[in-house]
Amino acid sequence: MNKKLLTIILSLAVISSLIPTTFVQAARQTAEAAYGTPIIDGEIDEVWNTTNAYVVKHCHETKSDMYKGWFKVLWDENYIYVLGKSYSTQLDDSIAYGHMQDSFDAYFDEDLDGTNGYETDDYQVRTNYKSE
């Protein structure tokens, strides 16, 4: 990995924190990651205290505040780690299409050029609320 990625400016074009992704246009958010390697065991360890929490407040089509949460980002020589928390209580994964389930989407733009379309340096990671 190049140093630019390791020192990471994480461009989150959209963080869809547990919302049905119905192509809602969201404002671009960026976050800086701290260096650290968390233990992945279902517990939040102390290393997460070394990085900032970024608030997510998504509005669905009616512009009401329905989805709220936060996320943090860490990196090490091998991985980028994202920890997120949603305060939504209405969760649904019954739709067969992953992009329409309540999910957490992170978009990475390695060169931070912020284009509207995908380029070879852009990456998307999605997991639904059941970590699938």
Side-chain angles (χ1 to χ4, degrees):
M1 289 187 181
N2 66 33
K3 183 165 176 107
K4 187 174 190 177
L5 182 58
L6 294 178
T7 57
I8 195 165
I9 299 291
L10 172 63
S11 176
L12 298 168
V14 179
I15 285 281
S16 300
S17 180
L18 299 173
I19 91 168
T21 53
T22 55
F23 306 105
V24 175
Q25 185 68 24
R28 180 170 303 148
Q29 296 180 356
T30 60
E32 290 187 27
Y35 181 84
T37 304
I39 298 169
I40 309 299
D41 62 359
E43 301 292 324
I44 300 173
D45 41 317
E46 292 295 317
V47 70
W48 288 105
N49 293 333
T50 65
T51 191
N52 294 325
Y54 295 91
V55 174
V56 175
K57 185 172 102 172
H58 255 289
C59 301
H60 70 340
E61 293 165 352
T62 65
K63 306 291 185 208
S64 65
D65 294 342
M66 266 182 85
Y67 306 99
K68 296 180 182 179
W70 54 261
F71 69 95
K72 294 181 173 191
V73 185
L74 292 170
W75 68 273
D76 64 19
E77 288 77 10
N78 299 304
Y79 299 102
I80 298 171
Y81 306 91
V82 180
L83 171 67
K85 169 73 176 171
S86 173
Y87 297 105
S88 178
T89 58
Q90 300 173 0
L91 306 173
D92 183 14
D93 70 339
S94 63
I95 300 171
Y97 303 107
H99 68 280
M100 297 179 79
Q101 295 178 4
D102 289 343
S103 60
F104 181 92
D105 291 12
Y107 296 83
F108 298 87
D109 184 355
E110 187 175 356
D111 68 2
L112 198 59
D113 62 355
T115 58
N116 288 330
Y118 287 103
E119 296 178 332
T120 58
D121 69 310
D122 299 334
Y123 308 93
Q124 177 185 3
V125 179
R126 172 185 296 126
T127 183
N128 70 11
Y129 72 95
K130 292 181 177 177
S131 296
E132 297 171 337

